[in-house]
Every structure is written in structure tokens, then in C-alpha cells.
Amino acid sequence: METVSELGFWQRMVTTRGLIILFFTSAGCHSCRIWRHLLADYEATRDDLQVWEVDAGIDMGITQEFDVYHLPALFLFRDGRYQRPIQVEARAHALDRWLTEMADRPPEEMP
């Protein structure tokens, strides 16, 4: 899992291939800690997936751009393009099933 900031975010995003889970978090968020462990373990099992973590308390510009009002918030990108928000329970098998179901769906509009 890599921590990213809003500086150069979009330039990097458009050049990155594969799946990216953009994970908005905060230091005091208990649910975020659960998701952080789950995503780190899950990322290690997939060659086609990266997890990018954004601290919502520090990088408020990009947090507002994604209309993040509650944490954790997760969004899926594929080949640098926004796909959709991730709304699934914090379990690896549920995330894996969700990603499989969403794999061939067309992208949605950004929030």
C-alpha cells in the first residue's frame, strides 16, 4: 500500500495501468485500520492491483474532489480511469467477488 497526496495525483493516475483502489482514511478511524490491514493483505495476492492511501485530514483538496463525507471511502480505477465507488463489507472474499463482478462494467462518472 502506497501513501499518495494530491500533488501530481492526476498526472500519475492517468499513466498507471491495472486496477487501483483509492483508499481515503484518517489516523483516528477504527474502520480505516481494519480496511488498511485487509487491503494490504489483499494487494499482496494480486499482481494487477495497487492500493493508494490518501490521508483525508491532510489532503483535503482531493478528499473534497471525491465528495468524501465518511471514512473509510474507497474508489476503483482501471487503467487510470475512474470506475466507481467501492461499497462492500470489509472482508477479502466480499471485495474479491465485488471486483470480479465489476471487472467488465463500463466506467461511471466521477462524483
Side-chain angles (χ1 to χ4, degrees), residues 89-100:
E89 66 181 300
R91 300 197 184 279
H93 70 277
L95 178 60
D96 194 54
R97 184 173 53 243
W98 187 90
L99 286 172
T100 300

Side-chain angles (χ1 to χ4, degrees), residues 26-96:
S26 155
C29 171
H30 176 69
S31 294
C32 297
R33 285 192 295 272
I34 293 168
W35 269 103
R36 185 178 295 109
H37 291 294
L38 181 143
L39 289 169
D41 292 345
Y42 187 73
E43 180 182 27
T45 69
R46 306 242 344 211
D47 293 334
D48 64 335
L49 174 76
Q50 297 179 53
V51 178
W52 293 3
E53 183 176 3
V54 175
D55 187 320
I58 295 173
D59 289 296
M60 291 181 257
I62 194 165
T63 302
Q64 290 175 351
E65 189 173 348
F66 279 85
D67 290 332
V68 173
Y69 292 108
H70 60 85
L71 297 173
L74 297 98
F75 299 92
L76 179 65
F77 285 79
R78 181 179 4 167
D79 295 333
R81 292 186 317 259
Y82 177 80
Q83 294 295 303
R84 60 192 26 84
I86 298 174
Q87 298 174 339
V88 66
E89 66 181 300
R91 300 197 184 279
H93 70 277
L95 178 60
D96 194 54

